[in-house]
């Protein structure tokens, strides 16, 4: 069976424990190096299903006040899709008026997650 | 001359939270003066998430966090004057403003709240030998260019300094297609939050070189390469350790300085450590009726604490105006920072007036593990708390109980210190 060892830093508090997560055939078999339980669940999730919120900005046309509107994924998306999300937004332009929460791109990269505006324009 | 109860200088998160708290405390004759054309301050360019975890229990981006305070201020009807740059504050609280339409005018305030934020340390302070080619930016300037102007400062990047803005920009530039070769940090620890090191560097395989600095910049018109050296324990580059990184851009994230030119002119005493005003428990400076909060008081890493602190300043300013109390004759006790505690805010406490629980914020001078934070009122230890780890990059706080102070009426000083056991 394929045993893998991952080393990562827990981000849940300033202590920053160095975690060692051992995965066997897709299953986490051990998390060590953590000082508390939060490190254990963080280590498991980071190794099996790491996710991130992606934030960026896109050009806006027809706004008197600004050239760009900041946007984000409404929820976290799989970490390996960060660059796909960026590519999907490369040629996106929005037209004023824009309100916070407006959907800029629906269901980005088939994740089921929308890209929404985080600023008015 | 126009007269107002409270004039707030700066419409960032600090200024807005101060205005809202002043209203809530019963003082509505408030005006916020902001030099920019929009409210929200530095948050407008901080488009990443991670703001407001403490206040709203959700992760907002900077613009979203700012928008909540702007909406609240609008709802209350707080008057905010944009494009209004304050050029002078006198010790008797006369505020002079420049505005393109109104020109130069003055407002006589009963109380003033300083909320001007901070600016980045300029590169002149860096002392890197070599030419001064194009392609060197402060991280905050690069952040504004990318996020507000939609322009990329360069394609191959080295970052000096591991402050949070530098880390955030390492990720931001990478997402926009640039290649970030490394982040060099002269200290043996990072000045940034752990979360940012993991999510901005580790996620993208960007190396963080601790105990390293830029020793040479190559290129006449535009940066062509920078040389990075290891440093010894005196922070001097070690000969023979130089590595050349070809790049077109160098970003500097080497610290922030509170913006206190106005404060100085008003006769406000500044701390040589925080570079911000010296304040008492109501966040009043040595000049009666002038209060300070946010990054102009001391540099914060989390905006939630800025908002909390600013609310205290706004409420204190309102009380000063409404109660007309002369605080100057009531006794004050000094707060001393010792044994690895670099500074405290506030530095003076008035026992009769202080709240039942006073939050004291401080930073430590080094990385400390398994150390106790202790607080002494006079000779008596009133707090002794073990901390697994403390680092200069993370602001700490302790709570001083009024009852602990009142129980010891002859005390002349309160000390916050770090102890091994
Ligand atoms: C680049 C950067 C990134 C950050 N990232 C994070 C993060 O990820 N998470 C987090 O929680 N915190 C973060 N922070 C910290 C937090 O955002 C700041 O601490 C907070 O914005 C400070 O608020 P402030 O109101 O004191 O200052 P500012 O936001 O700087 O506001 C000051 C305002 O005063 C105005 N002003 C200044 N001088 C004058 C004058 N003479 N007349 C009129 N107006 C004036 C300015 O234009 C500005 O609008 C970051 C800070 C910076 C600088
Ligand atoms: S494992 Fe627990 S103690 Fe260690 S960094 Fe994570 S949250 Fe902090």
């Amino acid at each position: 069976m394929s045993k893998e060892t991952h080393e990562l830093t827990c981000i849940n508090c300033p202590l920053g424990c160095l975690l060692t997560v051992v995965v066997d055939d897709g299953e986490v078999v051990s998390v060590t190096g953590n000082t508390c339980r939060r490190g254990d669940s963080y280590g498991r999730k980071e190794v099996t299903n790491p996710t991130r919120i992606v934030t960026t900005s896109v050009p806006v046309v027809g706004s008197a006040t600004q050239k760009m509107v900041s946007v984000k994924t409404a929820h976290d998306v799989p970490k390996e899709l960060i660059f796909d999300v960026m590519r999907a937004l490369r040629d996106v332009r929005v037209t004023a008026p824009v309100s916070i929460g407006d959907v800029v791109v629906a269901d980005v990269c088939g994740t089921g997650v929308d890209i929404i505006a985080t600023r008015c324009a | 001359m126009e007269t107002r109860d409270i004039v707030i200088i700066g419409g960032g998160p600090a200024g807005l939270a101060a205005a809202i708290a002043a209203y809530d405390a019963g003082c509505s004759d408030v005006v916020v003066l902001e030099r920019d054309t929009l409210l929200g301050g530095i948050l407008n360019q901080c488009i990443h998430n991670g703001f407001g975890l403490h206040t709203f229990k959700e992760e907002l981006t900077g613009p979203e966090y700012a928008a909540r305070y702007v909406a609240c201020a609008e709802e209350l009807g707080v008057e905010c004057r944009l494009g209004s740059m304050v050029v002078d504050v006198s010790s008797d609280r006369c505020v002079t403003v420049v505005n393109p339409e109104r020109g130069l005018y003055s407002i006589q305030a009963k109380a003033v709240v300083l909320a001007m934020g901070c600016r980045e340390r300029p590169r002149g302070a860096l002392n890197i030998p070599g030419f001064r080619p194009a392609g060197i930016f402060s991280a905050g300037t690069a952040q504004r260019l990318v996020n507000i102007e939609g322009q990329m400062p360069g394609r191959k990047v080295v970052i000096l300094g591991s402050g949070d803005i530098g880390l955030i920009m390492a990720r931001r530039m990478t997402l926009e297609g640039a290649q970030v070769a490394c982040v060099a940090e002269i200290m043996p620890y990072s000045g940034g939050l752990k979360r940012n090191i993991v999510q901005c560097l580790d996620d993208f395989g960007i190396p963080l070189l601790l105990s390293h600095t830029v020793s040479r910049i190559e290129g006449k018109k535009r940066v062509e390469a920078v040389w990075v050296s290891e440093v010894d324990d005196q922070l001097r580059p070690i000969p023979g350790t130089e590595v050349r990184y070809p790049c077109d851009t160098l970003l500097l994230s080497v610290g922030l300085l509170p913006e206190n030119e106005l404060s100085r002119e008003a006769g406000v005493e500044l701390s040589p450590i925080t570079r911000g005003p010296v304040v008492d428990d109501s966040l009043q400076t040595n000049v009666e009726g002038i209060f300070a909060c946010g990054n102009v008081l001391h540099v914060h890493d989390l905006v939630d604490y800025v908002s909390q602190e600013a609310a205290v300043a706004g409420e204190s300013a309102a009380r000063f105006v409404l109660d007309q109390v002369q605080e100057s004759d009531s006794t004050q006790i000094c707060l001393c920072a010792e044994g690895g505690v670099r500074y405290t805010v506030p530095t003076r406490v008035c026992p009769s007036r202080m709240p039942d629980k006073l939050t004291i914020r401080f930073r430590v001078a080094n990385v400390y593990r398994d150390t106790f934070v202790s607080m002494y009122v006079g000779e008596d230890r009133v707090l002794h708390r073990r901390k697994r780890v403390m680092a200069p990059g993370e602001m700490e706080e302790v709570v001083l109980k009024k009852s602990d102070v009142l129980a010891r009426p002859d005390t002349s000083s309160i000390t916050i210190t770090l102890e091994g056991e």
Side-chain angles (χ1 to χ4, degrees):
Chain A
M1 283 285 133
S2 54
K3 242 190 187 179
E4 287 171 61
T5 305
H6 300 262
E7 303 234 304
L8 50 137
T9 313
C10 178
I11 63 164
N12 286 302
C13 89
L15 204 56
C17 296
L18 276 176
L19 311 177
T20 306
V21 184
V22 180
V23 180
D24 193 354
D25 211 19
E27 292 269 322
V28 175
V29 290
S30 71
V31 179
T32 47
N34 56 310
T35 312
C36 75
R37 294 222 326 258
R38 285 192 294 166
D40 186 86
S41 47
Y42 173 81
R44 283 171 199 276
K45 176 145 195 314
E46 270 298 288
V47 167
T48 52
N49 177 30
T51 59
R52 300 285 186 268
I53 300 243
V54 181
T55 64
T56 183
S57 52
V58 298
V60 55
V61 286
S63 164
T65 49
Q66 66 220 60
K67 296 179 195 156
M68 307 293 284
V69 166
S70 50
V71 300
K72 68 174 182 185
T73 53
H75 299 283
D76 42 355
V77 296
K79 185 178 143 189
E80 75 264 16
L81 293 181
I82 292 177
F83 282 101
D84 296 291
V85 170
M86 288 301 292
R87 257 190 299 279
L89 287 169
R90 185 150 301 161
D91 298 317
V92 170
R93 304 240 163 324
V94 295
T95 309
V98 179
S99 306
I100 291 184
D102 282 3
V103 174
V104 172
V105 174
D107 184 18
V108 70
C109 303
T111 53
V113 175
D114 296 339
I115 301 284
I116 59 173
T118 56
R119 190 170 164 188
C120 302
Chain B
M1 200 196 319
E2 182 180 355
T3 58
R4 302 301 291 254
D5 279 353
I6 302 179
V7 170
I8 296 175
I9 308 173
L16 291 172
I20 292 164
Y23 259 67
D24 288 346
C27 183
S28 56
D29 186 19
V30 177
V31 61
V32 175
L33 303 171
E34 169 55 56
R35 66 180 169 198
D36 205 342
T37 51
L38 79 176
L39 296 168
I42 200 78
L43 291 178
N44 287 302
Q45 68 180 56
C46 300
I47 65 166
H48 55 279
N49 60 311
F51 296 83
L53 266 174
H54 297 264
T55 314
F56 299 113
K57 304 285 173 248
E58 55 177 315
E59 276 198 37
L60 302 174
T61 64
E64 290 172 307
Y65 187 94
R68 297 216 175 172
Y69 281 86
V70 172
C72 181
E74 271 170 6
E75 220 164 89
L76 289 172
V78 176
E79 184 185 351
C80 298
R81 291 187 195 159
L82 300 175
S84 302
M85 165 128 172
V86 174
V87 291
D88 187 61
V89 181
S90 71
S91 55
D92 56 0
R93 304 182 295 271
C94 176
V95 178
T96 308
V97 194
V98 188
N99 171 272
E101 279 125 52
R102 287 186 64 178
L104 193 73
Y105 66 98
S106 297
I107 308 175
Q108 179 61 52
K110 288 187 187 148
V112 170
V113 178
L114 306 171
M116 291 91 77
C118 61
R119 62 184 148 75
E120 293 176 285
R121 248 176 235 273
R123 75 185 209 209
L126 276 178
N127 213 2
I128 303 172
F131 298 99
R132 285 282 178 248
I136 306 178
F137 301 88
S138 71
T141 302
Q143 191 179 42
R144 187 176 50 74
L145 280 174
V146 178
N147 295 344
I148 307 279
E149 307 293 334
Q151 288 170 15
M152 279 291 277
R155 290 280 148 200
K156 284 194 91 176
V157 188
V158 167
I159 299 177
L160 175 61
S162 63
D164 286 312
I165 315 169
L167 301 177
I168 294 285
M169 283 315 290
R171 172 175 64 187
R172 189 75 190 102
M173 301 281 287
T174 306
L175 288 180
E176 290 293 344
Q179 213 190 321
V180 178
C182 66
V183 175
E185 167 60 59
I186 194 165
M187 301 306 285
Y189 50 82
S190 164
L193 301 172
K194 194 114 261 161
R195 167 201 171 92
N196 286 337
I197 294 173
V198 171
Q199 299 198 343
C200 300
L201 302 187
D202 297 357
D203 271 8
F204 303 98
I206 300 167
L208 171 60
L209 308 175
L210 297 174
S211 299
H212 279 73
T213 193
V214 168
S215 47
R216 204 157 18 128
I217 301 170
E218 211 181 291
K220 281 202 175 124
K221 283 211 181 95
R222 174 89 199 191
V223 174
E224 285 164 15
V226 304
W227 295 72
V228 174
S229 299
E230 213 179 315
V231 297
D232 60 20
D233 50 15
Q234 306 290 310
L235 307 183
R236 287 174 311 217
I238 302 172
T241 61
E242 261 190 345
V243 174
R244 180 176 185 272
Y245 290 90
C247 61
D248 56 24
T249 303
L250 173 64
L251 296 190
L252 306 174
S253 177
V254 291
L256 300 165
L257 290 175
E259 182 122 44
N260 273 300
E261 284 66 24
L262 291 175
S263 324
R264 207 171 287 123
E265 283 170 43
V268 168
E269 184 194 344
L270 300 179
S271 151
I273 300 170
T274 60
R275 311 275 199 116
V278 171
V279 292
D280 65 18
D281 54 284
S282 69
L283 304 186
Q284 184 171 220
T285 67
N286 63 309
V287 181
E288 193 160 70
I290 299 188
F291 299 79
C293 55
N295 276 355
V296 80
L297 178 55
H298 57 143
V299 174
H300 292 66
D301 3 81
L302 288 179
V303 70
D304 303 74
Y305 299 147
V306 170
S307 303
Q308 284 172 18
E309 183 179 274
V312 173
E315 194 197 325
S316 303
R319 267 200 315 197
F320 177 84
V321 169
L322 299 172
D323 302 351
Q324 296 267 309
V325 276
Q326 295 295 312
E327 314 271 10
S328 37
D329 45 23
S330 52
T331 40
Q332 295 206 334
I333 302 180
C334 276
L335 260 170
C336 312
E338 281 179 14
V341 177
R342 277 189 67 220
Y343 71 81
T344 64
V345 171
T347 55
R348 285 177 277 122
V349 176
C350 174
S352 58
R353 176 199 55 200
M354 72 177 281
D356 291 340
K357 288 181 175 176
L358 174 71
T359 301
I360 298 166
R361 300 200 159 87
F362 64 95
R363 278 185 199 272
V364 297
N366 214 321
V367 176
Y368 297 92
R369 285 177 193 280
D370 290 319
T371 304
F372 287 84
V373 176
S374 301
M375 181 157 54
Y376 289 84
V377 175
E379 301 293 309
D380 299 342
R381 189 159 79 187
V382 296
L383 182 137
H384 188 57
R385 202 175 70 205
R386 178 163 167 259
K387 294 283 290 182
R388 285 233 193 82
V389 69
M390 283 179 285
E394 316 235 2
M395 195 183 284
E396 299 288 338
E397 59 178 55
V398 289
V399 172
L400 174 64
K401 291 199 203 108
K402 183 175 189 161
S403 54
D404 281 337
V405 182
L406 291 183
R408 298 167 180 83
D410 298 328
T411 299
S412 61
S413 77
I414 297 170
T415 307
I416 296 180
T417 185
L418 305 183
E419 294 176 323
E421 54 190 272

